């Protein structure tokens, strides 16, 4: 019974480790129910044994501390290392590993025992011992609260090893990462790239043997070298890359990950990017990033003051490389002990530059990355302090990483309420909502209504518009159509189009109350009497609105529910004889601004005659933005949709969507393992009320006039000067980090001493938007806006994630000399709206002697995606 239970725990641990970067459609089914059943059965057996006999069922000495990332799909076991102010553990604890290749063997223990320094859920150490004894290494590591160790795998020439009989399988599953060993991996070019086919064949066989042994032992991941990290000049190891590609495909079947160690250098990035493209972004191939080249060595003692040395262009170049690396599948980062200096108290501490690099890693990908400590102890004076060194002699380095994990900026990025809420959406592709064709469900409404920033902004915009209207009416201007009632009050008609469950109705009533409580100084005795009409087509939402009218304070006298489509609302009997709207309020925006058909809906309401000539629309305008993105993870996720049913109602047995349809569909995604490569540029813009949507006497002529009026075309150019400044945009979602924006010059140009890698791979584009809810007509300097574009992001707002436009084939862009040109079309017919897009690599236009510009030259291009809406459409 215990053996079965251990096997299930083992499988769950390995699955959780491989799941974090596997496409959603390929992830193994959960076994939670069976595990819970076995756990309950175990508890019953243990209880009965305690009552009847002293022969108890014993559990492992310590609970497993899985090295899987703390993603929603993974099960995190162990006490976290940082606690929030409420005393509860953070949702994403730091996971650190130990590589025992460079520190002396620790004292062997009979069992892997509990750590006196806290839970083992804090991290891992890379440490290799001469005896390859994973049991001894893991024992010492767990005593110091490391999560796992990196231990050598067995080579084909090894006769035996002791730890296979002394270390239980559950600890191989959750506490050991394997590392290949032997001459083929110490001298890759001499074996894998040898002209002798016998040597090449022997190297491949050795790789196969060690990977098979790792799979047999249940090791979740294997660490492999890459020859460029040693500074070899023998060229790219093509045979080795081919071997990694074939081995990674086999390893993905058994959920075994392959971690390739790459240095944080320009050459390292170019080599890794090439390797990813050659292996077709296979998800079992991950990156272990060695930070030592960027942080540098620190051999002398330094004071605390010198730890805050000024950053230079070299450091900014390293930050830019880190930004690009974090767009890939980074499974772990290595912090060598040689990079630490010594503070005044004799403890290890990173210099300011090293601190910023490590914290940027944690802030960006701290929810999925692991930290690896490697090297020998370089602070021997601490040996005189009792228990300071721990069992591994590397405890002070782990404690310092814990300290960085607890910094406020890192805690805010990983442990805030917003961060916890969005965790289940990281890199998860979703189809955009189609609220015009489909009716949203109760829970969707409920999630959107929790956004405090969006609705507070709407309330401020409505209040500002009401105050402006009163002041202009007092001045006798003709652009206000408020009605003056018999009692001297002012009647204002507000249409809430797409009212849903009524959050905007509540904001409108609240804004009226604020204006009445504190009217403008120019008309202090004026009181607004509102008439709010909630137009909603969803029958279930209409039921909710009617309930609010009946029971919510202030609704029954003011609010009327109009159950119809806003485009034909003027024909509804309840609006017969109703005065046109003085203000329309809507929240029909999508991730790309117009992708949920806000233009068609608002123009339809305008054409139906709902609006007065001077009516105000909130939002007043919205602009969509586009930015290239580098993300093998998003590309792999999009490609995996090819195996999903083409029609959701067909069920699992339905015909698969196919690669073309999967890669010609735009997706809403909370991007995480991605890097925005250029600053975003404007794409489309819409303004309401729209001049072309004015109602006409002849409805047929009006429809012919406005047919296709919301179709758009934009050609967006991203220049090399846009690249360096984009590192402040991070993954493409969230506000720009001003601390990283200093690498640009403020006008989008880059510092001349920062040189990007020669080639960066583009996997698609991210679409975002900003919306001007209202700009004051009395004082144009006052306005209210919301945005998910990085340059103007509304912090705290979570209602929208970016829209991902994938490319069927990634583009390898020589980013130093060439630009990216993206063409985007918004097209429509009588039944639907769709996007088409393509991308090109173009040379910069040159200026001839006559002063004119020569047309740019296309170097490579993608096909036009989604031609005629063949793969994805938005239904009208």
């Amino acid at each position: 019974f215990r053996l079965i239970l251990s096997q299930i725990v083992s499988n769950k641990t390995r699955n959780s480790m491989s799941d974090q970067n596997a496409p959603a459609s390929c992830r193994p089914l959960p076994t939670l129910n069976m595990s819970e059943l076995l756990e309950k059965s175990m508890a019953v057996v243990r209880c009965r044994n305690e009552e009847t006999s002293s022969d108890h069922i014993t559990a492992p000495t310590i609970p497993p501390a899985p090295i899987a990332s703390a993603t929603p799909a993974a099960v995190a076991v162990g006490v976290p290392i940082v606690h929030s102010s409420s005393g509860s553990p953070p949702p994403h604890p730091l996971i650190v590993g130990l590589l025992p290749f460079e520190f002396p063997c620790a004292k062997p223990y009979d069992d892997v025992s509990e750590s006196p320094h806290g839970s083992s859920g804090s991290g891992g150490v890379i440490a290799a011992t001469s005896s390859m004894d994973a049991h001894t290494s893991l024992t010492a590591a767990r005593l110091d609260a490391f999560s796992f160790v990196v231990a050598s795998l067995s080579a084909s020439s090894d006769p035996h090893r002791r730890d296979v009989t002394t270390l239980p399988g559950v600890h191989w599953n959750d506490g050991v990462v394997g590392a290949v060993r032997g001459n083929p991996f110490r001298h890759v070019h001499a074996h894998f790239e040898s002209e002798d086919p016998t040597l090449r064949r022997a190297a491949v066989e050795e790789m196969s043997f060690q990977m098979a042994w790792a799979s047999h032992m249940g090791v979740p991941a294997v660490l492999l070298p890459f020859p460029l990290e040693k500074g070899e000049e023998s060229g790219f190891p093509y045979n080795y890359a081919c071997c990694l590609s074939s081995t990674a495909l086999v390893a993905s079947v058994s959920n075994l990950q392959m971690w390739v160690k790459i240095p944080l250098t320009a050459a390292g990035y170019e080599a890794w990017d090439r390797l990813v493209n050659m292996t077709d972004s296979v998800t079992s191939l991950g990156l272990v990033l060695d930070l030592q080249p960027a942080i540098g060595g620190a051999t002398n003692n330094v004071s605390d003051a010198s730890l805050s040395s000024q950053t230079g262009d070299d450091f900014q170049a390293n930050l830019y490389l880190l930004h690009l690396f974090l767009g890939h599948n980074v499974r772990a980062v290595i912090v060598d002990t040689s990079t630490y200096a010594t503070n005044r108290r004799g403890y290890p501490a990173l210099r300011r530059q090293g601190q910023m690099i490590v914290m940027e890693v944690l802030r960006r990908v701290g929810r999925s990355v692991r930290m690896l400590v490697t090297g020998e102890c370089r602070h021997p004076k601490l040996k005189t302090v009792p228990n300071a060194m721990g069992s591994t002699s590397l405890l002070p380095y782990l404690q310092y990483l814990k300290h960085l994990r607890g910094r406020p900026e890192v805690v805010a990025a990983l442990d805030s309420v917003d961060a916890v809420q969005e965790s289940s959406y990281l890199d998860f592709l979703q189809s955009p909502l189609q609220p015009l064709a489909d009716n949203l469900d109760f829970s969707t409404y409920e999630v959107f209504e929790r956004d405090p920033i969006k609705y507070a902004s709407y309330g401020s915009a409505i209040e500002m518009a009401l105050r402006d209207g009163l002041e202009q009416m007092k001045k006798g201007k003709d652009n206000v159509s408020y009605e003056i009632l018999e009692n001297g009050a002012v009647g204002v008609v507000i249409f809430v189009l797409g009212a849903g469950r009524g959050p905007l109705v509540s904001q409108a009533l609240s804004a009226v109350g604020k204006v009445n409580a504190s009217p403008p100084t120019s008309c202090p005795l004026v009181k607004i009497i509102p008439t709010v009409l909630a137009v909603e087509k969803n029958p279930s939402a209409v039921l909710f609105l009617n309930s609010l009218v009946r029971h919510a304070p202030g609704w029954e006298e003011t609010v009327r529910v109009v159950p119809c489509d806003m485009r034909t609302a003027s024909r509804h009997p309840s609006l017969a004889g109703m005065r046109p709207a003085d203000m329309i309020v809507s929240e029909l925006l999508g991730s790309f601004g117009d992708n949920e058909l806000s233009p068609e809906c608002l123009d339809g309401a305008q054409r139906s005659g709902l609006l007065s000539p001077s009516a105000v629309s909130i939002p007043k305008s919205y602009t969509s933005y586009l930015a290239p993105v580098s993300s093998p993870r998003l590309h792999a996720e999009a490609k995996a949709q090819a195996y999903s049913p083409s029609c959701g109602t067909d069920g699992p047995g339905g015909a698969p969507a196919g690669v073309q349809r999967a890669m010609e569909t735009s997706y809403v995604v909370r991007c995480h393992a991605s890097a925005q490569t250029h600053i975003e540029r404007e794409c489309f813009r819409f303004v309401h009320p729209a001049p072309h949507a004015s109602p006409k006497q002849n409805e047929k002529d009006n429809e012919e006039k406005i047919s296709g009026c919301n179709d758009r075309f934009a050609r967006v150019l991203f220049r090399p000067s846009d690249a360096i400044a984009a590192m402040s945009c991070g993954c493409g979602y969230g506000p720009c980090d001003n601390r990283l924006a200093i690498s640009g010059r403020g006008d989008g140009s880059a510092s001349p001493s920062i040189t990007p890698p020669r080639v960066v791979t583009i996997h698609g584009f991210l679409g975002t938007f900003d919306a001007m809810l209202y700009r004051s007509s009395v004082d144009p300097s006052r306005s209210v806006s919301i945005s998910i574009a990085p340059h103007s992001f509304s912090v705290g707002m979570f209602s929208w994630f970016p829209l991902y436009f994938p490319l069927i084939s990634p583009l390898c862009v020589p980013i130093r000399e060439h630009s990216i040109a993206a063409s985007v079309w918004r097209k429509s017919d009588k039944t639907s709206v769709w996007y088409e897009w393509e991308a090109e690599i173009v040379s910069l236009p040159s200026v001839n002697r006559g002063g004119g510009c020569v047309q740019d030259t296309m170097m490579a291009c993608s096909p036009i995606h989604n031609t005629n809406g063949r793969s994805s459409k938005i239904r009208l």
Side-chain angles (χ1 to χ4, degrees):
F1 181 80
R2 291 182 61 199
L3 182 62
I4 296 174
L5 179 61
S6 299
Q7 184 63 36
I8 290 179
V9 173
S10 169
N11 290 338
K12 284 189 64 180
T13 302
R14 295 188 64 191
N15 288 343
S16 68
M17 185 152 187
S18 60
D19 286 351
Q20 68 159 344
N21 287 299
S25 60
C26 300
R27 293 171 184 165
L29 296 176
T31 58
L32 180 61
N33 294 336
M34 178 60 73
S35 298
E36 290 179 349
L37 178 62
L38 290 177
E39 288 171 2
K40 292 179 180 180
S41 302
M42 188 87 170
V44 171
V45 173
R46 185 184 296 110
C47 180
R48 291 179 178 177
N49 284 340
E50 289 175 352
E51 295 176 353
T52 59
S53 172
S54 60
D55 184 18
H56 304 312
I57 298 178
T58 58
T61 308
I62 65 170
I67 55 179
S69 65
T71 56
V75 180
V77 182
V79 180
I81 65 170
V82 179
H83 294 270
S84 63
S85 57
S86 61
S88 59
H92 307 290
L94 180 67
I95 300 178
V96 186
L98 177 67
L99 185 73
F101 297 143
E102 297 180 7
F103 67 85
C105 296
K107 178 182 177 182
Y109 291 84
D110 293 334
D111 289 295
V112 180
S113 51
E114 192 71 42
S115 164
H117 301 287
S119 166
S120 59
S122 59
V125 182
I126 303 184
T129 60
S130 56
S131 63
M132 299 183 304
D133 191 346
H135 186 189
T136 302
S137 300
L138 184 59
T139 300
R142 287 288 176 86
L143 287 172
D144 286 353
F146 287 98
S147 294
F148 65 98
V149 295
V150 178
S152 297
L153 297 176
S154 286
S156 57
S157 58
D158 293 337
H160 61 82
R161 56 186 295 167
R162 179 175 179 272
D163 53 4
V164 296
T165 59
T166 59
L167 188 63
V170 65
H171 294 305
W172 284 100
N173 299 156
D174 63 32
V176 178
V177 167
V180 294
R181 56 183 291 266
N183 287 329
F185 305 103
R186 282 195 295 267
H187 309 287
V188 170
H189 279 101
H191 289 78
F192 286 91
E193 309 302 316
S194 172
E195 296 182 357
D196 184 353
T198 304
L199 280 178
R200 294 200 305 269
R201 188 181 306 111
V204 172
E205 291 175 353
E206 184 64 27
M207 167 85 81
S208 300
F209 177 86
Q210 296 194 29
M211 297 298 293
W213 187 82
S215 179
H216 167 76
M217 296 302 296
V219 173
V222 173
L223 183 64
L224 301 108
F226 202 79
L228 293 182
E229 69 180 342
K230 299 300 183 182
E232 298 184 19
E233 303 296 338
S234 304
F236 188 83
Y238 291 98
N239 291 327
Y240 184 59
C242 181
C243 182
L244 288 178
S245 178
S246 58
T247 306
L249 288 177
V250 176
S252 62
V253 177
S254 58
N255 293 325
L256 177 63
Q257 292 183 16
M258 299 173 62
W259 293 358
V260 180
K261 181 183 176 184
I262 299 289
L264 182 55
T265 61
Y269 177 81
E270 293 170 4
W272 170 253
D273 194 48
R274 178 183 293 188
L275 178 63
V276 169
N277 289 327
M278 291 179 66
T279 58
D280 197 23
S281 303
V282 59
T283 56
S284 59
L285 195 65
L287 167 67
V288 175
L289 190 59
D290 187 358
L291 302 182
Q292 184 176 15
I295 299 178
T299 57
N300 298 323
N301 293 345
V302 295
S303 63
D304 287 337
S306 66
L307 297 181
S308 58
S309 58
Q310 296 294 323
T311 62
D313 288 333
D314 290 341
F315 174 60
Q316 292 297 314
N318 289 330
L319 280 179
Y320 177 68
L321 284 173
L322 179 65
H323 163 69
L324 294 178
F325 266 119
L326 294 181
H328 289 260
N329 292 332
V330 180
R331 307 296 176 85
V333 296
I334 295 177
V335 185
D336 194 273
T337 57
S338 64
T339 61
Y340 286 82
T342 305
N343 64 15
R344 293 176 178 174
R345 292 165 294 184
Y347 282 86
L350 293 175
R351 298 178 182 273
R352 177 64 62 185
Q353 298 172 354
Q355 294 177 27
M356 291 183 63
I357 288 177
V358 172
M359 287 194 295
E360 180 65 10
V361 170
L362 293 174
R363 193 179 62 84
R364 282 274 297 274
V365 294
R367 285 173 272 206
S368 58
V369 78
R370 305 156 190 85
M371 308 294 291
L372 295 175
V373 177
T374 183
E376 60 184 2
C377 177
R378 298 177 183 271
H379 295 76
K381 292 183 179 180
L382 293 178
K383 294 182 180 180
T384 60
V385 181
N387 301 322
M389 305 302 294
S391 301
T392 62
S393 298
L394 298 178
L395 179 60
Y397 304 95
L398 170 63
Q399 292 172 336
Y400 185 77
L401 292 177
K402 293 181 181 182
H403 165 70
L404 294 182
R405 172 58 178 83
R407 289 281 185 88
E409 54 267 46
V410 178
V411 172
L414 302 183
D415 304 332
S416 65
V417 175
D418 293 342
V420 174
Q421 289 178 343
E422 68 186 20
S423 293
S424 58
Y425 299 99
L426 298 180
D427 291 331
F428 180 77
L429 302 186
Q430 306 174 75
S431 298
L433 295 176
Q434 298 202 27
L436 196 59
D438 303 328
N439 292 325
L440 303 183
D441 56 35
F442 189 88
S443 60
T444 303
Y445 283 123
E446 201 169 43
V447 170
F448 288 150
E449 291 168 9
R450 294 173 185 164
D451 192 325
I453 305 300
K454 177 177 69 173
Y455 291 111
S457 300
Y458 267 95
S460 300
I462 297 171
E463 180 183 354
M464 187 181 297
L466 291 173
R467 293 184 182 277
D468 284 357
L470 290 179
E471 292 189 9
Q472 291 185 342
M473 183 189 68
K474 186 66 175 179
K475 296 176 181 178
K477 294 187 176 182
D478 298 332
N479 58 347
V480 178
S481 58
Y482 291 177
E483 181 183 13
I484 300 179
L485 305 178
E486 295 180 356
N487 57 359
V490 175
V492 180
V493 178
I494 303 175
F495 275 73
V496 178
L497 304 179
R501 302 198 315 169
L504 288 183
V505 176
S506 299
Q507 290 297 331
L509 296 178
S510 176
V512 170
K514 292 178 181 179
V515 174
N516 287 338
S518 177
T521 55
S522 59
C523 41
L525 302 179
V526 175
K527 181 180 180 182
I528 295 178
I529 303 297
T531 300
V532 181
L533 294 105
V535 182
E536 176 56 52
K537 69 174 184 62
N538 186 345
S540 301
V542 168
L543 178 65
F544 193 93
L545 290 171
N546 285 327
S547 179
L548 288 177
V549 170
R550 182 73 179 272
H551 301 289
W555 280 55
E556 189 169 7
E557 306 83 8
T558 309
V559 181
R560 292 165 57 180
V561 180
V562 184
C564 68
D565 191 319
M566 68 184 74
R567 295 170 292 178
T568 59
S570 60
R571 306 173 190 172
H572 197 273
S574 64
L575 295 181
M578 172 62 64
R579 187 168 66 86
D582 300 308
M583 181 188 302
I584 59 171
V585 185
S586 64
E587 52 173 333
L588 306 171
L589 300 171
S591 298
F592 200 44
D594 57 272
N595 64 295
E596 293 185 11
L597 306 186
S598 177
E600 284 71 21
C601 293
L602 296 183
D603 288 358
Q606 185 178 349
R607 290 194 305 270
S608 69
L610 289 183
L611 282 66
S612 66
S614 60
V616 171
S617 173
I618 299 177
K620 178 180 178 62
S621 65
Y622 38 91
T623 304
S624 56
Y625 295 88
L626 205 66
V629 64
S630 176
S631 176
R633 173 69 187 277
L634 292 184
H635 194 263
E637 287 280 356
K639 191 181 296 185
Q641 305 304 312
Y643 304 99
S644 301
S646 57
C647 181
T649 58
D650 291 346
V659 174
Q660 183 185 70
R661 183 169 183 176
M663 301 305 292
E664 292 188 342
T665 299
S666 56
Y667 303 94
V668 174
V669 61
R670 167 56 174 98
C671 43
H672 176 62
S674 61
Q676 182 174 320
T677 61
H678 296 70
I679 58 177
E680 65 273 15
R681 293 300 185 188
E682 182 176 333
C683 193
F684 304 141
R685 188 171 186 268
F686 293 88
V687 179
H688 299 287
H692 62 256
S694 300
K696 301 294 182 181
Q697 296 296 327
N698 189 328
E699 186 173 346
K700 181 178 180 180
D701 292 343
N702 187 44
E703 290 180 358
E704 292 177 355
K705 181 180 178 180
I706 57 91
S707 178
C709 62
N710 287 319
D711 291 0
R712 297 285 193 275
F713 167 70
R715 181 173 169 83
V716 188
L717 186 65
F718 304 96
R719 301 178 181 274
S721 58
D722 296 335
I724 299 295
M727 76 172 175
S728 62
C729 301
C731 66
Y733 177 77
C736 288
D737 190 340
N738 294 328
R739 297 172 302 173
L740 303 179
I742 58 175
S743 59
R745 293 179 171 178
D747 58 356
S749 62
S751 174
S753 60
I754 300 178
T755 304
R758 288 173 294 184
V759 177
V760 172
T761 302
I762 305 301
H763 297 90
F765 297 90
L766 292 179
T768 55
F769 79 95
D770 66 18
M772 178 62 67
L773 297 182
Y774 181 75
R775 183 180 295 278
S776 174
S777 56
V778 176
D779 181 5
S781 64
R782 297 169 55 235
S783 63
V784 181
S785 62
I786 55 176
S787 174
I788 63 167
H791 73 277
S792 58
F793 190 85
S794 299
V795 179
M797 188 175 68
F798 57 82
S799 290
W800 295 278
F801 295 146
L803 192 66
Y804 174 53
F805 295 92
L807 292 175
I808 293 179
S809 298
L811 286 179
C812 297
V813 183
I815 200 171
R816 297 179 186 176
E817 303 88 10
H818 295 80
S819 300
I820 303 171
S823 297
V824 186
W825 294 264
R826 189 184 196 269
K827 296 184 177 182
S828 63
D829 55 24
K830 294 183 178 180
T831 61
S832 58
V833 176
W834 66 91
Y835 296 103
E836 300 177 12
W837 64 94
E838 66 93 29
E840 302 173 5
I841 303 174
V842 297
S843 62
L844 296 176
S846 58
V847 180
N848 58 26
R849 294 182 179 179
C853 289
V854 179
Q855 186 177 6
D856 54 21
T857 303
M858 184 188 71
M859 311 301 295
C861 72
S862 73
I864 297 178
H865 294 60
N866 198 32
T867 303
N868 294 326
R870 63 189 176 192
S871 298
S872 60
K873 292 185 176 182
I874 312 166
R875 303 188 304 276
L876 287 168

